[in-house]
Amino acid sequence: MKIGELATRTGVATRLLRYYEEVGILHPFRSPNGYRAYGEPAIDRVLQIRELLEAGLTTDMIREVLPCLEAAKEEAVADCPAAADLDGLRQQLSGIERRIDVLQRNRDAIKRYLHAWEEAGPAVD
């Protein structure tokens, strides 16, 4: 698929896709006429990049960990190089775990609220 289709299918602007290529976290094929071409796996990769960015990782961190994350999804053994910023990755992981805890607490509170409301039945005027 061409870059425009990848942008449409992922909801990510073509400008950002070109940036991901520039920083080395997205790798298109080049057709004989020089156009970028992407396979179906590029969709999942772009979505994972977006999720990692939203989680607070930098593009440098993503470039380091992405090959290992992809290998883990496929349950394959990867040659994962040591990250240049292990402390930064540990801080990001800690932040992600804190957000997960907050989300779980909020989910549980909303579930309890809905359950209590449903148990009370419809309001009578």
Side-chain angles (χ1 to χ4, degrees), residues 11-50:
V12 175
T14 56
R15 186 169 146 246
L16 272 176
L17 296 174
R18 287 186 195 100
Y19 173 72
Y20 296 162
E21 179 185 356
E22 183 182 317
V23 298
I25 56 177
L26 185 62
H27 308 287
F29 303 100
R30 290 290 182 162
S31 61
N33 61 5
Y35 289 132
R36 292 170 178 86
Y38 300 89
E40 288 294 317
I43 295 168
D44 288 335
R45 184 171 186 122
V46 169
L47 295 175
Q48 185 170 31
I49 289 167
R50 296 301 306 158

Side-chain angles (χ1 to χ4, degrees), residues 55-102:
L57 274 70
T58 66
T59 54
D60 288 337
M61 290 175 176
I62 293 170
R63 185 176 44 252
E64 290 181 2
V65 302
L66 200 53
C68 297
L69 297 177
E70 288 177 349
K73 280 195 293 191
E74 298 169 7
E75 297 181 10
V77 177
D79 182 22
C80 299
D85 186 8
L86 287 176
D87 287 337
L89 282 173
R90 285 185 185 106
Q91 289 174 352
Q92 292 302 326
L93 177 59
S94 178
I96 290 169
E97 289 173 339
R98 279 193 305 276
R99 288 192 295 276
I100 289 170
D101 289 343
V102 167

Side-chain angles (χ1 to χ4, degrees), residues 107-123:
R107 178 202 59 205
D108 293 346
I110 291 169
K111 280 182 174 181
R112 284 191 303 273
Y113 171 79
L114 288 172
H115 180 71
W117 188 84
E118 290 164 353
E119 287 291 313

